[in-house]
Amino acid sequence: MYLYPKWVRLWHVINAFLIIVLIITGISMQYTDRENAAYLMGFSRAVKWHNISASFLVANYVFFILGNAITGNGRYYKLPLKNLISDIMTQFRYYAYGKFRGEKHPFPVNTERKFNPLQRFTYVLAMYVAFPLLIISGFGLLFPETVINRFFGVSGLILTDILHISMGFCLSIFLVVHIYTCTLGAKTFSHFRSIITGYQEPDEQ
Amino acid sequence: MRKWFGYILIATVLVFDNSVLAIVPFPGRTGRAIQQDTTGYVSPFRDQNERCFKCHGQSKYEYSNENLGLTVKALMCSERIVDRNQFYSSNHKSFSCTDCHSEGYAEFPHPGELRMEQKFNCLDCHGGDPAYEKYQFEEIDSEYRQSTHFKLEKEGFSCWKCHNPHYYKLNIRDNKNISEAVIYDNNLCLNCHANFKNFQLLTDAMEINIVREHNWLPNQSSHFKSVRCIECHAKANDTLLVAHLIKPKEEAVRGCNECHSKNSILMSSLYKHLSKEERKSNGFVNAVMLNQSYVIGANRNEYLNLISLIIFGLVLLAIAVHIIFRIKSSIKAKGGDNVSVS
Ligand code: HEM
């Protein structure tokens, strides 16, 4: 079945590339020092490429939001509150235990249900919580005059920066887990093939 | 919709090319009508100084022309206006004008030979005086003599060119508001380097466009509001609070990591007077900076660092364990239908 329309695949490959650039340049900015003049790549180059790729990322994010709003893909991102936790736990238990026992997939993929509950939860968290916070705080750092100066006695810039770094970190963790869980498809690399070709093999039964 | 993406992109590209300088016009140089006293300071020489202020205190002055029997009104040129409020809040506020200027100026028109008057310099009064030891005037003087401006002495450069004789006021020493001190100190340089009228008096060189010369520095206006010119242009000095040795331009700091790092040079320059206070608090490196600004790379938080490393480690560990189980179970399954690792 074809689960990933062309625009999702296009969005995704751009997104993945930009996020990786952003992580590398972000780390480089945070840890460059006077002795190691270039932790990974050097400060000024890191700033430049971080800014450039962030601008593209924002545009790409808008593309994703619009795509989800216009096409049917958005429905996969609606979190049903009913059974939310128990469904996630069921899926988690499957990955941690049932899978090795040869149990059946508790939420087999079909066109009505592209993501299992755990996937859906993390994707919603990443795309609709972490991303907006990351972008807003990044905007604040790029245009510091837009940040509130004092927030309960603490400099607004510090809070903005901590928020930005934390969201960057959360998304980096997401990325690692995401890439790993993507190897849990029918075959190790079948999900990677699907996000590029769009075709998804049915889960093994 | 596509158009919008274009606008966003253009807007973000323009951001790299910002060019607004934080020049606050040099105050006091604008002549206004008689002004209100805002200092509350009463000088022992107030009346004596009023003799001079009545002409030099604003843009209009008058004198009586005895030959014609008329009161003549004329304009005082802006360079010769001394603002009362700024004078009475300066370091030398307790002075009479004629402590530094000849008593002969009480006459008007001022006698011609006073033009040739020899001015005091700082060390004439402060040199060797134990009361001013903490300022290290001698050390400052010797730095100044090595600085790039010193070659302009014969053109008229002197300490007074940076330290306005009538307005100079200690700033960074007892100021906790760094951005205020930064503006004060930078205006002191920009008074020549962004004001060709003053610059040309000392050199025949072409005007230097400060914004263009520093185009390599991103977020220029935000940098010029939060660091001083001397952070990059003066040679670091361990003992002086304010380094005075302005280096030739080739030796100016250009590396971002000089400031954007754990052992940022800002801690021994701009933040020197505060850095005796705690260098670390709540896990932040160089915490004294945080009251004024957030300097990427210089204000890392060690707790957050540690926490993120731990979380990262745990995630990798969990993945490693999961992989081991996957391999085990797939070996078990191998006997059957030869499913690959999944
Ligand atoms: C932080 C950056 C990333 C984010 C935010 C992200 C987000 C997402 C989202 C939201 C989907 C579902 C798309 C849809 O069908 O609507 C997805 C699918 C996928 N992504 Fe990513 N991704 C990122 C990086 C990566 C990278 C670097 C790889 C590969 C190396 C990757 C591999 C995949 C695969 C194989 C799928 C299809 C399987 C699935 O839907 O779970 N992703 N990603």
Side-chain angles (χ1 to χ4, degrees), chain B residues 41-46 48-49 86-100 132 165-166 168:
Chain B
Y41 174 77
V42 181
S43 161
F45 299 109
R46 196 179 60 173
Q48 219 175 326
N49 288 350
Q86 285 197 70
F87 180 75
Y88 286 132
S89 40
S90 74
N91 289 335
H92 297 122
K93 59 173 177 273
S94 61
F95 277 54
S96 155
C97 306
T98 49
D99 284 341
C100 296
Y132 302 107
H166 311 117
Y168 167 49

Side-chain angles (χ1 to χ4, degrees), chain B residues 21-279:
Chain B
L21 257 187
I23 304 173
V24 179
F26 208 74
R29 291 277 165 144
T30 51
R32 260 172 267 115
I34 297 278
Q35 8 151 248
Q36 291 264 300
D37 177 15
T38 57
T39 62
Y41 174 77
V42 181
S43 161
F45 299 109
R46 196 179 60 173
D47 296 340
Q48 219 175 326
N49 288 350
E50 270 315 307
R51 292 180 304 166
C52 314
F53 276 135
K54 77 174 194 272
C55 289
H56 286 284
Q58 62 288 312
S59 54
K60 185 179 77 176
Y61 71 96
E62 47 187 55
Y63 61 94
S64 58
N65 183 326
E66 272 140 28
N67 294 342
L68 297 174
L70 282 176
T71 300
V72 179
K73 295 193 177 81
L75 290 178
M76 180 64 72
C77 65
S78 59
E79 289 73 29
R80 297 205 166 86
I81 295 173
V82 178
D83 181 272
R84 281 185 187 74
N85 286 326
Q86 285 197 70
F87 180 75
Y88 286 132
S89 40
S90 74
N91 289 335
H92 297 122
K93 59 173 177 273
S94 61
F95 277 54
S96 155
C97 306
T98 49
D99 284 341
C100 296
H101 296 289
S102 160
E103 185 57 39
Y105 278 108
E107 260 178 70
F108 186 81
H110 299 321
E113 67 272 15
L114 293 181
R115 292 226 143 188
M116 312 303 159
E117 176 188 60
Q118 182 74 37
K119 311 272 195 317
F120 293 112
N121 63 42
C122 315
L123 267 78
D124 290 339
C125 299
H126 290 288
D129 187 340
Y132 302 107
E133 211 172 63
K134 65 175 173 190
Y135 297 104
Q136 298 168 285
F137 276 90
E138 289 78 8
E139 169 88 14
I140 291 180
D141 187 57
S142 85
E143 284 223 301
Y144 167 65
R145 283 168 192 285
Q146 293 161 259
S147 84
T148 176
H149 290 125
F150 185 68
K151 65 172 190 284
L152 303 165
E153 269 256 335
K154 51 186 184 308
E155 312 293 333
F157 207 100
S158 69
C159 312
W160 297 115
K161 292 295 174 196
C162 287
H163 295 291
N164 185 305
H166 311 117
Y167 306 146
Y168 167 49
K169 186 173 156 201
L170 282 176
N171 216 296
I172 189 87
R173 174 170 286 268
D174 37 34
N175 198 341
K176 296 231 170 197
N177 185 339
I178 296 279
S179 50
E180 210 178 275
V182 166
I183 290 178
Y184 180 91
D185 287 8
N186 283 356
N187 275 336
L188 197 146
C189 309
L190 294 172
N191 192 32
C192 283
H193 284 290
N195 185 346
F196 189 61
K197 209 170 66 175
N198 293 337
F199 187 76
Q200 65 183 357
L201 288 176
L202 296 159
T203 176
D204 295 329
M206 297 286 281
E207 184 166 13
I208 302 171
N209 182 330
I210 289 293
V211 175
R212 207 176 44 222
E213 289 300 331
H214 298 88
N215 257 346
W216 51 272
L217 186 65
N219 303 63
Q220 204 184 114
S221 62
S222 140
H223 272 108
F224 282 0
K225 274 183 239 157
S226 49
V227 292
R228 298 173 301 177
C229 318
I230 50 178
E231 256 68 77
C232 298
H233 285 292
K235 185 163 178 251
N237 184 306
D238 291 337
T239 56
L240 288 180
L241 180 65
V242 181
H244 270 73
L245 203 168
I246 310 291
K247 302 174 284 188
K249 63 178 176 213
E250 294 77 20
E251 292 167 39
V253 168
R254 192 191 266 275
C256 319
N257 48 321
E258 297 290 319
C259 295
H260 290 281
S261 54
K262 208 159 146 185
N263 45 1
S264 171
I265 58 169
L266 294 177
M267 287 303 281
S268 53
S269 54
L270 182 55
Y271 289 87
K272 194 176 207 161
H273 64 303
L274 299 175
S275 52
K276 277 161 243 125
E277 293 173 22
E278 252 186 316
R279 284 183 76 103

Side-chain angles (χ1 to χ4, degrees), chain A residues 30-35 37 43-44 51 95 99-100 143 150 158 161 169 173 180 183-184 188 204, chain B residues 15-16 256-258 260-263 265 284 290-291 294 300 305 308 312 322-323 325-326 341-342:
Chain A
Q30 186 73 349
Y31 296 107
T32 290
D33 252 331
R34 279 223 272 159
E35 298 76 42
F43 197 90
S44 68
N51 286 350
Y95 276 152
K99 188 175 170 54
F100 306 123
F143 303 99
R150 291 261 160 235
I158 302 176
D161 201 276
F169 174 73
I173 292 286
Y180 182 68
T183 64
L184 300 173
T188 307
E204 57 185 306
Chain B
V15 170
F16 304 120
C256 319
N257 48 321
E258 297 290 319
H260 290 281
S261 54
K262 208 159 146 185
N263 45 1
I265 58 169
F284 277 105
L290 290 175
N291 282 327
Y294 183 94
R300 345 183 153 156
N305 260 359
S308 50
F312 207 75
H322 201 259
I323 291 177
F325 276 101
R326 275 170 79 183
V341 182
S342 64

Side-chain angles (χ1 to χ4, degrees), chain A residues 65-107:
Chain A
I65 293 296
L66 289 177
N68 264 2
I70 294 166
T71 73
N73 198 52
R75 79 192 129 111
Y76 301 119
Y77 290 83
K78 289 209 177 71
L79 268 189
L81 290 178
K82 209 172 121 222
N83 297 340
L84 176 67
I85 309 232
S86 64
D87 281 358
I88 291 174
M89 288 318 292
T90 310
Q91 178 67 28
F92 191 79
R93 194 197 147 276
Y94 170 74
Y95 276 152
Y97 181 78
K99 188 175 170 54
F100 306 123
R101 294 268 152 150
E103 283 177 19
K104 280 220 173 89
H105 210 292
F107 303 96

Side-chain angles (χ1 to χ4, degrees), chain A residues 65-198:
Chain A
I65 293 296
L66 289 177
N68 264 2
I70 294 166
T71 73
N73 198 52
R75 79 192 129 111
Y76 301 119
Y77 290 83
K78 289 209 177 71
L79 268 189
L81 290 178
K82 209 172 121 222
N83 297 340
L84 176 67
I85 309 232
S86 64
D87 281 358
I88 291 174
M89 288 318 292
T90 310
Q91 178 67 28
F92 191 79
R93 194 197 147 276
Y94 170 74
Y95 276 152
Y97 181 78
K99 188 175 170 54
F100 306 123
R101 294 268 152 150
E103 283 177 19
K104 280 220 173 89
H105 210 292
F107 303 96
V109 173
N110 53 45
T111 43
E112 281 316 299
R113 186 172 55 220
K114 174 156 84 166
F115 305 141
N116 68 46
L118 191 58
Q119 269 177 323
R120 183 160 52 194
F121 183 66
T122 52
Y123 289 169
V124 167
L125 228 49
M127 297 315 300
Y128 290 99
V129 180
F131 254 77
L133 290 177
L134 184 78
I135 290 174
I136 292 168
S137 58
F139 186 85
L141 292 175
L142 198 56
F143 303 99
E145 59 279 6
T146 60
V147 175
I148 335 167
N149 274 342
R150 291 261 160 235
F151 191 79
F152 293 112
V154 189
S155 152
L157 217 50
I158 302 176
L159 296 180
T160 315
D161 201 276
I162 290 183
L163 182 64
H164 192 71
I165 294 180
S166 313
M167 285 307 120
F169 174 73
C170 289
L171 281 173
S172 313
I173 292 286
F174 164 84
L175 180 64
V176 173
V177 176
H178 174 59
I179 295 181
Y180 182 68
T181 50
C182 285
T183 64
L184 300 173
K187 299 218 174 74
T188 307
F189 292 106
S190 53
H191 275 176
F192 296 100
R193 213 168 293 128
S194 350
I195 196 69
I196 292 175
T197 62

